Amino acid sequence: VNFIEIATRIMLGIPQRPVMIQPMEMDCIAAKVPVFSFSRLKNSDPRLGVEMQSTGEVACFGVNQYEAFLKAMISAGFKLPTKNIMISIGPSQQKIEFVHYARMLSEMGYQLYA
């Protein structure tokens, strides 16, 4: 399916029949994250603007969305904490949902601060 052709026809007001799209059956999930390299961009403002000043992207696959996202973040240069984690969580329901993961992190030896 040529999505560009379909989008162009729609923007021009040309009638377009619905198109059947068959997603691929895969045993994995993909995640894509931006890569920021402010240190390589001369006179770049490290505060993100609307365009986000991304200089690239990384896509990775995983068995679920969490693994794919973590792999992509690590590939983009995100460093996993080694001992301490600062946590800021929103509404009470999210705090309740996070308790299980807080226990897991604590059992893994991380010191949590909230």
Side-chain angles (χ1 to χ4, degrees):
V1 175
N2 185 335
F3 291 110
I4 295 173
E5 182 180 338
I6 292 170
T8 303
R9 289 175 177 271
I10 291 169
M11 287 187 281
L12 294 174
I14 300 171
Q16 179 66 45
R17 281 187 264 137
V19 178
M20 180 62 79
I21 300 171
Q22 295 294 328
M24 297 184 323
E25 291 188 23
M26 298 179 70
D27 295 330
C28 58
I29 300 289
K32 187 166 71 167
V33 301
V35 176
F36 301 102
S37 15
F38 297 116
S39 60
R40 292 190 295 151
L41 299 173
K42 186 177 180 180
N43 299 322
S44 177
D45 185 351
R47 294 170 293 168
L48 301 179
V50 176
E51 70 283 346
M52 293 180 64
Q53 300 180 13
S54 168
T55 58
E57 296 173 319
V58 174
C60 291
F61 293 92
V63 295
N64 57 41
Q65 69 267 34
Y66 307 110
E67 180 179 287
F69 181 71
L70 182 59
K71 285 180 177 179
M73 291 295 288
I74 291 170
S75 296
F78 178 78
K79 303 285 188 236
L80 292 175
T82 56
K83 58 181 179 175
N84 299 324
I85 301 175
M86 175 65 141
I87 300 169
S88 177
I89 301 176
S92 296
Q93 182 59 36
Q94 290 178 351
K95 290 177 176 92
I96 293 168
E97 293 170 3
F98 186 74
V99 169
H100 168 71
Y101 300 104
R103 284 191 186 110
M104 287 175 57
L105 290 167
S106 180
E107 289 170 3
M108 292 169 65
Y110 288 104
Q111 184 73 36
L112 305 178
Y113 297 93

